[in-house]
Amino acid sequence: MKIITKRLILRDLKKTDAKDIHINANNIKIARYIPPFPYPYSIKDAHLYIKSSIKHSKAKPRETYDFGITLKSENKVIGMISISGIDKFQGTGMIGYWLGEKHWRNGYMKEALTKVIDFAFNKIKLRRIDISAF
């Protein structure tokens, strides 16, 4: 699955993304706002997350979409955005996200979030999305 924006590609994760996820996620400024997020974030944590994400991508019906956020100019994951807890009967889901600190304040998350919300309402046909803000 792939969603393309002006500057970004939001895509399913690959095993080769572990190093990029580890580098960007291993930050206390990210971990302190995401309750289940470990710190320090190890390469093993990245591999476990990717394994779980690949499993989610194969589920039928799909209840979770984990998108690696990549810059078009680079093919490296700089953050994540997910739709999880999808309940097709209720038409609900939850969005969560994080971005590597060196990529903050560039409008990347606004760009990614706008497209993911559009995807959630228009492709998955959700009627309500919950987002926790910290």
Coordinates of all heavy atoms in Angstrom, one line a residue, residues 30-85:
I30 N 10.5 11.7 21.7 CA 9.4 11.0 21.1 C 8.7 10.0 22.0 O 7.5 10.0 22.2 CB 9.9 10.2 19.8 CG1 10.3 11.2 18.7 CG2 8.8 9.3 19.2 CD1 11.1 10.6 17.6
A31 N 9.6 9.2 22.7 CA 9.1 8.1 23.6 C 8.2 8.7 24.7 O 7.3 8.0 25.1 CB 10.3 7.3 24.1
R32 N 8.5 9.8 25.3 CA 7.8 10.3 26.4 C 6.3 10.6 26.1 O 5.5 10.7 27.0 CB 8.5 11.5 27.1 CG 8.4 12.7 26.3 CD 9.1 13.9 27.0 NE 9.3 15.0 26.2 CZ 10.1 16.0 26.4 NH1 10.8 16.0 27.5 NH2 10.2 17.0 25.6
Y33 N 6.0 10.8 24.9 CA 4.6 11.2 24.5 C 3.8 10.0 23.9 O 2.6 10.1 23.6 CB 4.6 12.3 23.6 CG 5.1 13.6 24.2 CD1 6.3 14.2 23.7 CD2 4.4 14.2 25.2 CE1 6.7 15.4 24.3 CE2 4.9 15.3 25.8 CZ 6.1 15.9 25.4 OH 6.5 17.1 25.9
I34 N 4.5 8.8 23.8 CA 3.8 7.7 23.2 C 3.9 6.6 24.2 O 4.9 5.9 24.3 CB 4.4 7.3 21.8 CG1 4.4 8.5 20.9 CG2 3.7 6.1 21.2 CD1 5.1 8.3 19.6
P35 N 2.8 6.3 25.0 CA 2.9 5.4 26.1 C 3.5 4.0 25.9 O 4.4 3.6 26.7 CB 1.4 5.3 26.6 CG 0.8 6.5 26.1 CD 1.5 6.9 24.9
P36 N 3.2 3.3 24.8 CA 3.9 2.0 24.7 C 5.3 2.0 24.0 O 5.9 1.0 23.8 CB 2.9 1.2 23.9 CG 2.3 2.2 23.0 CD 2.2 3.4 23.8
F37 N 5.8 3.2 23.8 CA 7.0 3.3 23.0 C 8.2 3.1 23.9 O 8.4 3.8 24.9 CB 7.0 4.8 22.4 CG 7.7 4.9 21.1 CD1 7.1 4.7 19.9 CD2 9.1 5.3 21.1 CE1 7.7 4.9 18.7 CE2 9.7 5.5 19.9 CZ 9.0 5.3 18.7
P38 N 9.1 2.2 23.6 CA 10.3 2.0 24.5 C 11.4 3.1 24.3 O 11.5 3.6 23.2 CB 10.8 0.6 24.1 CG 10.4 0.5 22.6 CD 9.1 1.3 22.5
Y39 N 12.1 3.3 25.4 CA 13.3 4.1 25.3 C 14.3 3.5 26.2 O 14.0 3.3 27.4 CB 13.0 5.6 25.6 CG 14.3 6.4 25.5 CD1 14.7 6.8 24.2 CD2 15.1 6.7 26.5 CE1 15.9 7.5 24.0 CE2 16.3 7.3 26.4 CZ 16.7 7.7 25.1 OH 17.9 8.4 25.0
P40 N 15.5 3.3 25.8 CA 16.0 3.5 24.4 C 15.3 2.5 23.4 O 14.9 1.5 23.8 CB 17.5 3.2 24.5 CG 17.7 2.5 25.8 CD 16.6 2.8 26.7
Y41 N 15.2 3.0 22.2 CA 14.6 2.2 21.1 C 15.7 1.5 20.4 O 16.5 2.1 19.7 CB 13.8 3.2 20.2 CG 12.8 2.5 19.3 CD1 11.5 2.3 19.6 CD2 13.3 2.0 18.0 CE1 10.6 1.7 18.8 CE2 12.4 1.3 17.2 CZ 11.0 1.2 17.6 OH 10.2 0.5 16.7
S42 N 15.7 0.2 20.5 CA 16.8 -0.6 19.9 C 16.5 -1.1 18.5 O 15.3 -1.0 18.1 CB 17.0 -1.8 20.8 OG 15.9 -2.7 20.7
I43 N 17.5 -1.6 17.8 CA 17.3 -2.1 16.5 C 16.4 -3.3 16.6 O 15.6 -3.6 15.7 CB 18.6 -2.5 15.8 CG1 18.4 -2.8 14.3 CG2 19.3 -3.6 16.5 CD1 18.2 -1.6 13.5
K44 N 16.4 -4.1 17.7 CA 15.5 -5.2 17.9 C 14.1 -4.7 18.0 O 13.2 -5.4 17.4 CB 15.9 -5.9 19.2 CG 15.0 -7.2 19.5 CD 15.4 -7.9 20.7 CE 14.5 -9.0 21.0 NZ 14.8 -9.7 22.3
D45 N 13.8 -3.6 18.7 CA 12.5 -3.0 18.7 C 12.0 -2.7 17.3 O 10.8 -2.9 17.0 CB 12.5 -1.7 19.6 CG 12.7 -2.0 21.0 OD1 12.3 -3.0 21.6 OD2 13.5 -1.2 21.7
A46 N 12.9 -2.1 16.5 CA 12.5 -1.8 15.1 C 12.1 -3.1 14.3 O 11.1 -3.1 13.6 CB 13.6 -1.1 14.4
H47 N 12.9 -4.1 14.5 CA 12.6 -5.4 13.8 C 11.3 -6.0 14.2 O 10.5 -6.4 13.4 CB 13.7 -6.4 14.0 CG 14.9 -6.1 13.1 ND1 14.9 -6.3 11.8 CD2 16.2 -5.7 13.5 CE1 16.1 -5.9 11.3 NE2 16.9 -5.6 12.3
L48 N 11.0 -5.9 15.6 CA 9.7 -6.4 16.1 C 8.6 -5.6 15.6 O 7.5 -6.2 15.2 CB 9.8 -6.4 17.6 CG 10.7 -7.5 18.3 CD1 10.8 -7.2 19.8 CD2 10.2 -8.9 18.0
Y49 N 8.7 -4.3 15.5 CA 7.6 -3.4 15.0 C 7.4 -3.7 13.5 O 6.2 -3.9 13.1 CB 8.0 -2.0 15.2 CG 6.9 -1.1 14.7 CD1 5.7 -0.9 15.4 CD2 7.0 -0.4 13.5 CE1 4.7 -0.1 15.0 CE2 6.0 0.4 13.0 CZ 4.8 0.6 13.8 OH 3.8 1.3 13.3
I50 N 8.4 -3.9 12.7 CA 8.3 -4.2 11.3 C 7.6 -5.5 11.1 O 6.7 -5.7 10.3 CB 9.6 -4.1 10.6 CG1 10.1 -2.7 10.5 CG2 9.5 -4.7 9.2 CD1 11.5 -2.5 10.1
K51 N 8.0 -6.5 11.9 CA 7.4 -7.8 11.8 C 5.9 -7.7 12.1 O 5.1 -8.3 11.4 CB 8.0 -8.8 12.8 CG 7.5 -10.2 12.7 CD 8.3 -11.1 13.7 CE 7.8 -12.5 13.6 NZ 8.5 -13.4 14.6
S52 N 5.5 -7.0 13.1 CA 4.1 -6.8 13.5 C 3.4 -6.0 12.3 O 2.2 -6.4 12.0 CB 4.0 -6.0 14.8 OG 2.7 -5.7 15.1
S53 N 4.0 -5.0 11.8 CA 3.4 -4.2 10.7 C 3.2 -5.1 9.5 O 2.1 -5.0 8.8 CB 4.3 -3.1 10.4 OG 3.8 -2.3 9.3
I54 N 4.1 -5.9 9.1 CA 3.9 -6.8 8.0 C 2.8 -7.8 8.2 O 2.0 -8.0 7.3 CB 5.2 -7.5 7.6 CG1 6.3 -6.5 7.1 CG2 5.0 -8.7 6.6 CD1 7.7 -7.1 7.0
K55 N 2.7 -8.3 9.4 CA 1.5 -9.2 9.8 C 0.2 -8.4 9.6 O -0.7 -8.9 9.1 CB 1.7 -9.7 11.2 CG 0.7 -10.7 11.6 CD 0.9 -11.1 13.0 CE -0.2 -12.1 13.5 NZ 0.0 -12.5 14.9
H56 N 0.2 -7.1 10.1 CA -1.1 -6.3 10.0 C -1.4 -6.1 8.5 O -2.6 -6.1 8.2 CB -0.9 -5.0 10.6 CG -0.8 -5.0 12.1 ND1 -0.1 -4.0 12.8 CD2 -1.3 -5.8 13.1 CE1 -0.2 -4.3 14.1 NE2 -0.9 -5.4 14.3
S57 N -0.4 -5.9 7.7 CA -0.7 -5.6 6.3 C -1.3 -6.8 5.5 O -1.9 -6.6 4.5 CB 0.6 -5.2 5.6 OG 1.5 -6.2 5.4
K58 N -1.1 -8.0 6.1 CA -1.7 -9.2 5.4 C -3.0 -9.7 6.0 O -3.6 -10.6 5.4 CB -0.6 -10.4 5.5 CG 0.6 -10.1 4.8 CD 1.7 -11.1 5.0 CE 2.9 -10.8 4.2 NZ 4.0 -11.8 4.4
A59 N -3.5 -9.0 7.0 CA -4.7 -9.4 7.7 C -5.9 -9.1 6.8 O -5.9 -8.1 6.1 CB -4.9 -8.7 9.0
K60 N -6.9 -10.0 6.9 CA -8.2 -9.8 6.1 C -9.3 -10.0 7.1 O -9.5 -11.1 7.6 CB -8.3 -10.8 5.0 CG -7.2 -10.8 4.0 CD -7.3 -9.6 3.1 CE -6.2 -9.7 2.0 NZ -5.6 -8.5 1.7
P61 N -10.1 -9.1 7.4 CA -10.0 -7.7 7.0 C -8.9 -7.0 7.7 O -8.5 -7.3 8.8 CB -11.4 -7.1 7.3 CG -11.8 -7.9 8.5 CD -11.3 -9.2 8.3
R62 N -8.4 -6.0 7.1 CA -7.3 -5.2 7.6 C -7.8 -4.3 8.7 O -8.7 -3.5 8.5 CB -6.6 -4.4 6.5 CG -5.2 -3.9 6.9 CD -4.4 -3.6 5.7 NE -3.1 -3.0 6.1 CZ -2.2 -2.6 5.3 NH1 -2.3 -2.7 4.0 NH2 -1.1 -2.1 5.7
E63 N -7.2 -4.4 9.9 CA -7.6 -3.5 11.0 C -6.6 -2.5 11.4 O -6.8 -1.6 12.2 CB -7.9 -4.4 12.3 CG -9.1 -5.3 12.0 CD -9.3 -6.3 13.2 OE1 -8.5 -6.3 14.2 OE2 -10.3 -7.0 13.2
T64 N -5.4 -2.6 10.7 CA -4.3 -1.6 11.0 C -3.6 -1.3 9.7 O -3.3 -2.2 8.9 CB -3.3 -2.2 12.0 OG1 -4.0 -2.4 13.3 CG2 -2.2 -1.2 12.3
Y65 N -3.3 -0.1 9.5 CA -2.4 0.4 8.4 C -1.3 1.1 9.0 O -1.5 2.2 9.6 CB -3.2 1.3 7.4 CG -4.3 0.7 6.6 CD1 -5.5 0.5 7.2 CD2 -4.0 0.3 5.3 CE1 -6.5 -0.1 6.4 CE2 -5.1 -0.3 4.6 CZ -6.3 -0.5 5.1 OH -7.3 -1.1 4.4
D66 N -0.1 0.6 8.9 CA 1.2 1.2 9.4 C 1.9 1.8 8.1 O 2.3 1.0 7.3 CB 2.1 0.3 10.1 CG 1.4 -0.3 11.4 OD1 0.9 0.5 12.1 OD2 1.5 -1.5 11.6
F67 N 2.0 3.1 8.1 CA 2.7 3.7 6.9 C 4.1 4.3 7.4 O 4.1 5.1 8.3 CB 1.9 4.8 6.3 CG 0.6 4.4 5.7 CD1 -0.6 4.7 6.4 CD2 0.6 3.8 4.5 CE1 -1.8 4.4 5.8 CE2 -0.7 3.4 4.0 CZ -1.8 3.7 4.6
G68 N 5.1 3.8 6.7 CA 6.4 4.5 6.9 C 6.4 5.8 6.1 O 6.0 5.8 5.0
I69 N 6.8 6.9 6.8 CA 6.9 8.2 6.1 C 8.2 8.3 5.5 O 9.2 8.3 6.2 CB 6.6 9.3 7.1 CG1 5.2 9.1 7.8 CG2 6.7 10.7 6.4 CD1 5.0 10.1 8.9
T70 N 8.3 8.5 4.2 CA 9.6 8.7 3.5 C 9.6 9.9 2.7 O 8.5 10.3 2.1 CB 9.9 7.5 2.6 OG1 9.0 7.4 1.6 CG2 10.0 6.2 3.4
L71 N 10.7 10.6 2.6 CA 10.8 11.7 1.7 C 11.0 11.2 0.3 O 11.7 10.3 0.1 CB 12.0 12.6 2.1 CG 12.0 13.2 3.5 CD1 13.4 13.9 3.8 CD2 10.9 14.2 3.6
K72 N 10.4 11.9 -0.6 CA 10.6 11.5 -2.0 C 12.0 11.6 -2.4 O 12.5 10.8 -3.2 CB 9.7 12.4 -3.0 CG 8.3 12.0 -3.0 CD 7.5 12.8 -4.0 CE 6.1 12.4 -4.2 NZ 5.3 13.3 -5.1
S73 N 12.7 12.6 -1.9 CA 14.1 12.8 -2.2 C 15.1 11.8 -1.6 O 16.2 11.7 -2.1 CB 14.6 14.2 -1.7 OG 14.4 14.3 -0.3
E74 N 14.6 11.0 -0.7 CA 15.4 9.9 0.0 C 14.5 8.7 0.1 O 13.3 8.9 0.2 CB 15.9 10.3 1.4 CG 16.6 11.6 1.5 CD 16.9 12.0 2.9 OE1 16.8 11.1 3.8 OE2 17.1 13.2 3.2
N75 N 15.0 7.6 0.1 CA 14.1 6.4 0.4 C 14.4 5.9 1.8 O 14.7 4.7 2.0 CB 14.4 5.3 -0.7 CG 13.3 4.2 -0.6 OD1 12.2 4.4 -0.1 ND2 13.7 3.0 -1.1
K76 N 14.3 6.8 2.8 CA 14.5 6.4 4.2 C 13.3 6.8 5.0 O 12.7 7.8 4.8 CB 15.7 7.1 4.7 CG 17.0 6.7 4.0 CD 18.2 7.4 4.6 CE 19.5 7.0 3.9 NZ 20.6 7.5 4.5
V77 N 12.9 5.9 5.9 CA 11.8 6.2 6.8 C 12.2 7.2 7.8 O 13.2 7.0 8.5 CB 11.3 4.8 7.5 CG1 10.2 5.1 8.5 CG2 10.8 3.8 6.5
I78 N 11.4 8.3 7.9 CA 11.7 9.4 8.8 C 10.7 9.4 10.0 O 10.8 10.2 10.9 CB 11.8 10.7 8.1 CG1 10.5 11.1 7.5 CG2 13.0 10.7 7.1 CD1 10.4 12.6 7.0
G79 N 9.7 8.6 9.9 CA 8.6 8.6 10.9 C 7.6 7.6 10.5 O 7.7 6.9 9.5
M80 N 6.5 7.5 11.3 CA 5.5 6.6 11.1 C 4.1 7.3 11.3 O 4.0 8.2 12.1 CB 5.5 5.4 12.1 CG 6.7 4.5 11.9 SD 6.7 3.5 10.4 CE 5.1 2.8 10.4
I81 N 3.1 6.8 10.6 CA 1.7 7.2 10.8 C 0.9 6.0 10.6 O 1.1 5.2 9.6 CB 1.3 8.4 9.9 CG1 -0.1 8.9 10.3 CG2 1.4 8.0 8.4 CD1 -0.4 10.3 9.7
S82 N 0.0 5.7 11.5 CA -0.8 4.5 11.5 C -2.3 4.8 11.7 O -2.7 5.7 12.5 CB -0.4 3.5 12.6 OG 1.0 3.2 12.5
I83 N -3.1 4.0 11.1 CA -4.5 3.9 11.5 C -4.7 2.5 12.1 O -4.4 1.5 11.5 CB -5.4 4.0 10.2 CG1 -5.1 5.2 9.4 CG2 -6.9 4.1 10.6 CD1 -5.8 5.2 8.0
S84 N -5.2 2.5 13.3 CA -5.3 1.2 14.0 C -6.7 1.1 14.7 O -7.5 2.1 14.7 CB -4.2 1.1 15.1 OG -4.3 2.1 16.0
G85 N -7.0 -0.1 15.2 CA -8.3 -0.3 15.8 C -9.4 -0.1 14.9 O -10.5 0.4 15.4

